[in-house]
Amino acid sequence: VPPPPPRKLHRLILPLGMRVLVQLVADEDRTETGLYLPQGAKEATNDALYGKVIEVARDKPTTDKAAENVSGVPHGALVLFRKTAGVPVPWDDRLRLIDVKDVLATVEEVLADEAH
């Protein structure tokens, strides 16, 4: 009998204190005029990064979504934060663990004709 296949490991990050887990959102690779921006040039011009909050600090460390969000930042919110803020997650370079004080703004995406 062959050995069972290795089980895939998943890591759950549960922020503690006033922190949120943010997944970076890829920005467009072109300017409004259609010029292609290489990754390094794009990052060099940005002072802030854009991401989606995928996990928040709760009143107790649990995966139970019913536990109270104590971070003050809504789960699923789109946020801007300084590119030097937070701690990169070692096994996934798209994730950052960020102190709430380093979140500069939440972002709402609306259609151009709905913007105020």
Side-chain angles (χ1 to χ4, degrees):
V1 174
R7 293 175 34 186
K8 185 167 175 143
L9 179 68
H10 291 278
R11 293 179 169 130
L12 300 175
I13 299 175
L14 303 173
L16 300 174
M18 297 302 284
R19 293 184 184 87
V20 292
L21 182 64
V22 175
Q23 183 174 35
L24 298 176
V25 174
D27 211 3
E28 293 296 322
D29 290 336
R30 296 182 186 275
T31 65
E32 289 182 15
T33 59
L35 295 175
Y36 171 76
L37 288 176
Q39 189 65 30
K42 191 169 57 173
E43 289 174 359
T45 61
N46 290 344
D47 289 331
L49 293 176
Y50 183 51
K52 181 177 182 178
V53 175
I54 60 171
E55 191 57 75
V56 296
R58 300 183 187 283
D59 57 352
K60 53 187 172 247
T62 178
T63 57
D64 179 11
K65 299 294 183 197
E68 184 182 350
N69 175 355
V70 296
S71 74
V73 180
H75 186 273
L78 297 170
V79 295
L80 288 177
F81 56 95
R82 285 184 185 83
K83 69 178 179 181
T84 58
V87 176
V89 174
W91 58 87
D92 190 336
D93 60 357
R94 298 170 302 153
L95 299 177
R96 293 261 181 102
L97 192 58
I98 297 176
D99 287 320
V100 170
K101 67 179 179 52
D102 291 326
V103 174
L104 302 172
T106 58
V107 178
E108 261 187 70
E109 292 184 338
V110 296
L111 296 173
D113 58 347
E114 296 173 1
H116 42 305

